[in-house]
């Protein structure tokens, strides 16, 4: 989720204070674990732990988004978040479903599962952009 209009509410400000450090931790972890993997080639439990660290940051970011949804008292912003989440979910499901069938048919390479999160976030962004344009144009 982008900072946008929810940063004007108390819940939105808490969300921002939680989300930004979580994403910074993700960037540091993904870069750091990739560097360690490329330079030291860890094996076994060490490799598993390194692989899970960036995922942990993304899991925390999902929890942060959920907390925002719970804490936000502005019904309009909650509605927008629900619409964006549904749009993100639909986008992710369409892309991963179509990709999966084409992958199974040997027409596309394997897509790592972590792309689901990336696609969901992209879908949320597309939905937020569409919804903002729709409501600005008086389409609601």
């Amino acid at each position: 989720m982008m900072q946008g209009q929810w940063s004007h509410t108390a819940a939105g400000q808490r969300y921002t204070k939680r989300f930004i450090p979580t994403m910074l931790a993700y960037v540091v972890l993904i870069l750091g674990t990739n560097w360690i993997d490329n330079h030291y080639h860890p094996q076994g439990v060490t490799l598993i732990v390194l692989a899970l660290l960036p995922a942990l940051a993304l899991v925390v970011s999902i929890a942060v988004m959920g907390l925002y949804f719970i804490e936000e008292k502005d019904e309009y912003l909650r509605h927008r978040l629900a619409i964006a989440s549904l749009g993100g979910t639909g986008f992710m499901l369409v892309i991963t479903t179509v990709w999966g069938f084409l992958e199974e048919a040997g027409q596309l390479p394997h897509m790592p599962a972590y792309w689901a999160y990336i696609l969901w976030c992209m879908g949320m962004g597309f939905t937020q952009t569409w919804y903002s344009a729709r409501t600005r144009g008086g389409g609601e």
Side-chain angles (χ1 to χ4, degrees):
M1 265 189 314
M2 297 173 62
Q3 203 169 327
Q5 65 224 8
W6 27 79
S7 63
H8 300 297
T9 66
Q13 290 169 359
R14 285 191 302 273
Y15 162 76
T16 301
K17 287 178 184 174
R18 293 170 182 153
F19 191 76
I20 290 174
T22 303
M23 286 293 99
L24 290 174
Y26 170 72
V27 169
V28 168
L29 288 168
I30 196 74
L31 293 174
T33 56
N34 283 336
W35 185 86
I36 290 168
D37 187 41
N38 290 333
H39 286 82
Y40 295 101
H41 311 291
Q43 301 292 316
V45 174
T46 304
L47 181 59
I48 292 169
V49 170
L50 287 172
L52 290 175
L53 286 174
L56 179 62
L58 294 184
V59 168
V60 171
S61 76
I62 294 167
V64 166
M65 288 182 210
L67 276 174
Y68 170 63
F69 192 76
I70 291 167
E71 293 175 350
E72 182 57 69
K73 300 302 177 209
D74 184 310
E75 289 298 320
Y76 176 70
L77 293 179
R78 285 176 59 112
H79 170 76
R80 288 185 63 111
L81 179 60
I83 296 294
S85 295
L86 287 170
T89 301
F91 181 78
M92 175 197 65
L93 290 171
V94 166
I95 299 298
T96 57
T97 299
V98 170
W99 191 284
F101 279 104
L102 290 172
E103 179 183 325
E104 188 70 23
Q107 300 304 302
L108 287 174
H110 174 69
M111 182 191 318
Y114 61 77
W115 271 93
Y117 179 84
I118 296 166
L119 291 169
W120 182 72
C121 290
M122 288 172 57
M124 282 187 71
F126 295 151
T127 304
Q128 289 168 352
T129 301
W130 166 80
Y131 197 79
S132 290
R134 179 176 176 249
T135 55
R136 268 193 292 261
E140 177 129 319

